[in-house]
Amino acid sequence: MKRASQQQMEAAVASFKSSGLTQREFCLRENIKLPTFSYWYRKVNVFSATPVVRFTEVTAPLPSVGLEVVFPNGVTVRGIQDLYQIRQLI
């Protein structure tokens, strides 16, 4: 295959996924250089990957009576209602 477009390589990757062949077998059958196909396979999969969820909402089962700060020396301050107060303590 001579200098394929991005669209052609994306189609080739999709075809490969449903072929049941190894990358080497697929490339031999389609006359594509293996390193070129491997590059496009990784590139297509990176852009189509599902984003990783990094944050999850957490809800308290009981009403909160405030926040708590525990310092490295063991001192604990409880009942803080405002994040600004925490910033001043730290």
Side-chain angles (χ1 to χ4, degrees), residues 1 21-23 26 44 52 56 60 65-66 70-71 75 87 90:
M1 177 182 275
L21 300 172
T22 65
Q23 284 190 15
F26 181 80
V44 168
V52 176
T56 303
V65 293
V70 180
F71 291 94
V75 173
R87 182 188 296 172
I90 297 175

Side-chain angles (χ1 to χ4, degrees), residues 1-79:
M1 177 182 275
K2 288 187 178 185
R3 198 79 163 168
S5 69
Q6 180 173 345
Q7 188 176 17
Q8 289 172 317
M9 290 308 296
E10 288 173 353
V13 168
S15 178
F16 162 73
K17 287 181 178 180
S18 64
S19 73
L21 300 172
T22 65
Q23 284 190 15
R24 183 174 307 281
E25 293 167 339
F26 181 80
C27 290
L28 285 171
R29 185 183 82 181
E30 298 296 322
N31 196 26
I32 303 171
K33 292 180 182 177
L34 182 58
T36 301
F37 180 78
S38 294
Y39 164 81
W40 279 100
Y41 183 79
R42 286 188 310 274
K43 186 174 180 174
V44 168
N45 285 326
V46 165
F47 288 118
S48 65
T50 304
V52 176
V53 176
R54 299 205 187 266
F55 295 99
T56 303
E57 182 179 354
V58 177
T59 56
L62 299 173
S64 174
V65 293
L67 301 172
E68 175 179 290
V69 175
V70 180
F71 291 94
N73 64 359
V75 173
T76 302
V77 180
R78 292 186 178 95

